[in-house]
Amino acid sequence: MNIQIFGRSKCFDTKKAERWFKERRIKYQLIDIDRYGMSRGELTSVKTAVGLAALINEKAADYPLVQYLAYDADKFEKLLEEPKLIKTPVVRNGKQATVGYAPEAWADWE
């Protein structure tokens, strides 16, 4: 497995995801999404796996702005520009991905 966790240092669910993988001795790479963001390819891969709506953080300050963008392509570009709008943690394993704390899905990856 090649696990990547895109998260925030102050995100409780990101910390829970890290702990879940540590307890099972599964190696992972933690990426600070606010500092490094996600590449277009990474975000596209996750969007394909979970859908665009699942990626958008409803609690973000700019959520109303994204909500009223007419086209999904515009919403996608906004997520690329402003990683603070992406719900965390985003956990990737190749083409598989989850958004939020999802240990049931991760257990199936083992």
Side-chain angles (χ1 to χ4, degrees):
M1 282 196 287
N2 186 18
I3 304 294
Q4 289 180 306
I5 302 174
F6 293 88
R8 295 182 174 86
S9 59
K10 295 183 180 181
C11 173
F12 184 67
D13 284 343
T14 299
K15 291 176 183 176
K16 284 182 5 184
E18 278 188 88
R19 185 170 50 244
W20 192 90
F21 287 103
K22 278 182 187 173
E23 287 172 354
R24 284 150 187 82
R25 293 188 175 97
I26 299 171
K27 290 185 180 183
Y28 63 88
Q29 176 185 14
L30 179 65
I31 297 121
D32 184 342
I33 199 165
D34 290 333
R35 189 170 185 190
Y36 300 106
M38 291 178 84
S39 72
R40 182 175 296 277
E42 290 165 339
L43 193 56
T44 300
S45 173
V46 173
K47 183 185 88 162
T48 302
V50 301
L52 184 62
L55 276 168
I56 301 171
N57 183 4
E58 302 90 22
K59 295 175 184 166
D62 287 343
Y63 174 70
L65 173 69
V66 174
Q67 187 179 13
Y68 291 107
L69 289 173
Y71 301 105
D72 283 350
D74 293 337
K75 292 177 184 180
F76 182 81
E77 291 300 321
K78 193 69 174 169
L79 291 179
L80 273 175
E81 290 171 20
E82 295 185 38
K84 287 182 178 4
L85 292 168
I86 299 172
K87 187 176 180 181
T88 55
V90 175
V91 182
R92 287 185 63 215
N93 179 24
K95 298 229 181 268
Q96 299 171 310
T98 61
V99 177
Y101 182 70
E104 314 81 34
W106 305 331
D108 291 341
W109 294 351
E110 295 181 314

